[in-house]
Amino acid sequence: MTKGLDGILAKLTELQVKAPKVARSAVGEVAEQFEQALKVNTPVYFVMDGMHARDDTKVTNFKGGDHGLISKDIGYGRATGWRIHFPDDGTKYQAGQGFEEKTINEMTPKAKEIFASKVKEGLGL
């Protein structure tokens, strides 16, 4: 039996092999929650064309299934993705806001908890 959260997360690869359906549900749940947190943390600013980055967040379909790795990408769409690094990283005229890193730091513990509960469920621990 695995003890501790880090030990359970190490079993995530085993979960992808033995119970891919449960692994997909875990990745999907984390991706949805991550997208919601990204929407909350993304600043809204005036844009001439009316498309805000907050309204253009995207979650891709599952990737890496043929290699045994189940994942999804979370980010921004084509309309705003090219310019999002300016407010996030900053320029010589404005300080960086760091909202992408803030979202990652905020969601990491929540993602670990979701993965741990799904590993316990899928592997019967």
Side-chain angles (χ1 to χ4, degrees):
M1 183 117 179
T2 304
K3 293 185 180 182
L5 185 61
D6 292 328
I8 290 173
L9 292 174
K11 294 268 188 183
L12 193 57
T13 305
E14 184 179 342
L15 178 69
Q16 291 178 354
V17 173
K18 292 186 176 181
K21 195 174 207 178
V22 176
R24 284 180 180 267
S25 72
V27 169
E29 186 176 336
V30 168
E32 287 175 16
Q33 289 189 14
F34 195 100
E35 182 188 23
Q36 294 304 315
L38 187 61
K39 283 183 180 188
V40 169
N41 291 336
T42 302
V44 177
Y45 54 92
F46 177 74
V47 180
M48 294 298 284
D49 64 359
M51 178 59 94
H52 296 284
R54 179 179 285 180
D55 303 327
D56 195 29
T57 57
K58 304 286 182 195
V59 176
T60 64
N61 292 329
F62 287 103
K63 295 183 169 193
D66 55 341
H67 302 297
L69 299 173
I70 300 170
S71 66
K72 285 188 170 192
D73 289 338
I74 303 115
Y76 300 94
R78 289 182 185 234
T80 59
W82 66 272
R83 66 178 183 229
I84 203 66
H85 66 92
F86 295 119
D88 188 51
D89 297 336
T91 65
K92 69 180 188 176
Y93 300 109
Q94 71 178 25
Q97 297 176 23
F99 52 88
E100 288 179 332
E101 187 173 347
K102 176 184 175 188
T103 304
I104 292 169
N105 292 337
E106 181 181 298
M107 284 302 299
T108 299
K110 294 177 185 176
K112 285 181 178 182
E113 290 175 14
I114 292 169
F115 286 141
S117 66
K118 294 290 184 175
V119 165
K120 287 178 182 178
E121 172 190 324
L123 298 177
L125 297 177

